Amino acid sequence: MNDRHDDMDDDTGFDADPGDDFDTGLLEEELRQAAAVLDPLPPALLQIAVDAYALHDLDARVAELTFDSLVDAIPVRGATDVPRMLTFNAGEVTLDVEVTAEGLMGQVLPPQSARIEVLGGPQSATTPLTADDMGRFTADTPPSGPFALRLHTGGDVVVTEWMRA
């Protein structure tokens, strides 16, 4: 065989070991710079991300989305403007929410009084909702854009995932 093929591991003509002179950190930085020039992040999206992170509560438990009617429900033929049904679970607390064009309606299970905040960014400060003794609550205005719910029950704080209305 040829001496030039002795140190090559495959038919590509490249060494299997790229060597010590290849710097992945430099490549990553060059790719970041290229992406910033060719496909820049819109300033409004960056601001929304910063605002959402500012609302992060380190002591809160994150409620897992276990049901979303947009994904999990079987569509009904001829039905228009059907409400979106969401179910979140965080340990022993379950939060059922119905999102319509008229607003929000939901229930905390097990039934208990609670305070619910509809998060939509710092500029959309809304009055917290109050769940009655049966855990039921309503809001007259639907969330616009991305939203999350923060639930205060006794000493616990539960936050849902962010989602689009």
Side-chain angles (χ1 to χ4, degrees), residues 21-89:
D21 58 344
F22 187 74
D23 185 9
T24 57
L26 180 61
L27 175 62
E28 182 180 349
E29 182 57 34
E30 287 180 10
L31 289 173
R32 285 182 193 274
Q33 290 175 3
V37 170
L38 298 173
D39 189 19
L41 185 64
L45 182 60
L46 178 61
Q47 186 60 44
I48 288 172
V50 169
D51 293 343
Y53 186 76
L55 292 172
H56 182 70
D57 189 351
L58 296 177
D59 294 332
R61 291 184 299 159
V62 177
E64 177 184 1
L65 179 64
T66 57
F67 178 81
D68 184 349
S69 62
L70 289 180
V71 177
D72 302 319
I74 298 172
V76 177
R77 191 170 115 185
T80 60
D81 198 29
V82 293
R84 183 176 183 185
M85 307 298 290
L86 304 165
T87 301
F88 299 94
N89 286 322

Side-chain angles (χ1 to χ4, degrees), residues 56-145:
H56 182 70
D57 189 351
L58 296 177
D59 294 332
R61 291 184 299 159
V62 177
E64 177 184 1
L65 179 64
T66 57
F67 178 81
D68 184 349
S69 62
L70 289 180
V71 177
D72 302 319
I74 298 172
V76 177
R77 191 170 115 185
T80 60
D81 198 29
V82 293
R84 183 176 183 185
M85 307 298 290
L86 304 165
T87 301
F88 299 94
N89 286 322
E92 66 283 346
V93 176
T94 300
L95 181 63
D96 288 324
V97 181
E98 179 177 315
V99 182
T100 66
E102 290 79 34
L104 292 174
M105 180 172 39
Q107 184 173 18
V108 180
L109 298 169
Q112 56 189 298
S113 58
R115 190 182 80 208
I116 298 103
E117 298 173 68
V118 180
L119 307 175
Q123 59 272 43
S124 64
T126 60
T127 328
L129 308 172
T130 305
D132 63 15
D133 291 338
M134 296 299 294
R136 300 171 297 197
F137 62 92
T138 59
D140 295 333
T141 56
S144 61

